[in-house]
Amino acid sequence: MARTTGPDRRAGAPAVGLMHLCAVLLLCFALPLAAAERVVSLAPSLTESMLELQAGDRLVGVLDGGERPAALAGLPSLGRWGRLEMETLLALRPDLILLWPDSISAAQREQLRGFGIPVFEAQPRRLEDIATQLEALGERVGRAERGRELAAQLRRQLDELRRHYRREAPLRVFYQVWDRPLYSIGGPQIISDALRVCGAVNLFADLDLPAPQLSVEAVLARDPEVILVSQPEQRDAWQAWPQLQAVRRGQVWAVPDLGLERPSPQMLAATRKLCELLHRVP
């Protein structure tokens, strides 16, 4: 007769081990990612977002494009827009790369991903996306609470602008990025959303390109109520087309704040100036 000596511990060992492994894995997934401490930014808009998050001390290098914030005057340069100096970037030993996809070539984007360095990629198409981006970036750089505060503030102010500048019939606006050749903005461009916030509509929002090239004839055919140009000296050329509503009514204006073309938290102030300008149209 076999003796009963209690449960077989050897049989239970694998089950106990599996339970322990599951507990460890669950704990790992529950822990937040360690905050990045050496960040390089490959877009001025993302650099500005870092400053708004009060995380400028974590930046170790930036890709230049336009005037650099004074607070970052002594920071190493990674080159200029579209010309990333890869060796300089690697020498800085970043633990997070902030990337606007169009700031570098497709080949360099692939090269970056091959290095195994975490990449935070952002290309907002709506102003609301900037709020979401601030929350996510705040988490990555140890400024989660600040990110949530900024996002809530941005969403609240956006709602106020929408309510204040709403129109029954949206104002039809042609936004000129450049004149020779003639470039505008398409539906995916975030400026299209800024126009919507101001009670207007981008005349070429139906084009699924960020910056479509157009002909003057295409603008004449759609006859905008307002024409916005990115440079004041571009206004006079439209006087050759008096048949346009915008020209007849004296509503060919320069964009009031070119921060409108830089999708960071400061874009809200630029959008407010745009709304105030368009509000002049009865």
Side-chain angles (χ1 to χ4, degrees):
M1 183 176 178
R3 289 189 303 145
T4 302
T5 58
D8 186 340
R9 298 186 182 276
R10 290 174 299 170
V16 172
L18 181 60
M19 291 173 62
H20 177 70
L21 177 61
C22 289
V24 170
L25 288 173
L26 286 172
L27 179 61
C28 289
F29 284 122
L31 290 174
L33 291 172
E37 296 182 353
R38 298 184 61 80
V39 183
V40 296
S41 173
L42 304 187
S45 59
L46 288 165
T47 301
E48 288 177 359
S49 293
M50 287 288 286
L51 294 177
E52 289 285 346
L53 288 165
Q54 299 173 352
D57 58 319
R58 300 196 176 222
L59 286 168
V60 296
V62 295
L63 189 71
D64 285 306
E67 188 175 352
R68 185 190 288 205
L72 305 177
L75 215 60
S77 174
L78 301 172
R80 299 199 65 79
W81 190 267
R83 297 181 180 180
L84 173 62
E85 296 172 5
M86 200 69 73
E87 290 184 4
T88 304
L89 182 148
L90 293 174
L92 292 171
R93 297 178 290 105
D95 55 11
L96 182 65
I97 297 170
L98 308 184
L99 174 64
W100 176 277
D102 293 339
S103 64
I104 59 175
S105 67
Q108 284 196 317
R109 289 199 300 271
E110 286 304 309
Q111 191 177 3
L112 274 182
R113 295 187 180 104
F115 294 142
I117 304 169
V119 175
F120 180 92
E121 192 167 322
Q123 193 170 26
R125 294 191 173 189
R126 300 177 304 126
L127 289 163
E128 168 71 23
D129 294 340
I130 297 176
T132 304
Q133 172 185 305
L134 285 167
E135 290 172 324
L137 184 55
E139 290 278 355
R140 297 295 297 273
V141 298
R143 299 291 189 272
E145 184 175 353
R146 174 70 176 166
R148 288 191 292 270
E149 289 173 358
L150 288 173
Q153 178 182 321
L154 192 150
R155 290 182 179 116
R156 183 172 61 253
Q157 292 176 343
L158 272 177
D159 286 342
E160 291 171 359
L161 288 177
R162 288 189 186 101
R163 286 196 300 271
H164 187 73
Y165 292 104
R166 182 179 177 276
R167 289 175 179 260
E168 289 299 323
L171 195 63
R172 294 180 301 106
V173 176
F174 173 62
Y175 191 105
Q176 177 180 303
V177 176
W178 197 246
D179 54 350
R180 299 179 183 177
L182 187 62
Y183 277 97
S184 184
I185 56 170
Q189 231 284 354
I190 194 170
I191 299 171
S192 288
D193 190 51
L195 288 168
R196 283 192 292 270
V197 168
C198 296
V201 62
N202 169 16
L203 199 66
F204 291 95
D206 58 314
L207 301 184
D208 194 27
L209 290 170
Q213 183 176 342
L214 303 167
S215 64
V216 171
E217 288 74 18
V219 180
L220 291 170
R222 298 196 181 194
D223 195 18
E225 297 169 86
V226 172
I227 294 175
L228 296 174
V229 296
S230 56
Q231 303 296 329
E233 58 269 22
Q234 296 171 350
R235 290 176 297 190
D236 292 345
W238 287 104
Q239 301 309 311
W241 311 101
Q243 63 267 49
L244 287 169
Q245 289 186 68
V247 175
R248 288 199 311 273
R249 297 175 182 178
Q251 292 167 182
V252 180
W253 297 319
V255 174
D257 187 338
L258 284 178
L260 199 65
E261 299 178 3
R262 212 165 54 250
S264 66
Q266 60 77 44
M267 190 176 175
L268 186 71
T271 300
R272 182 176 287 108
K273 291 179 185 178
L274 175 67
C275 292
E276 291 168 356
L277 176 65
L278 296 179
H279 194 56
R280 291 163 53 179
V281 180

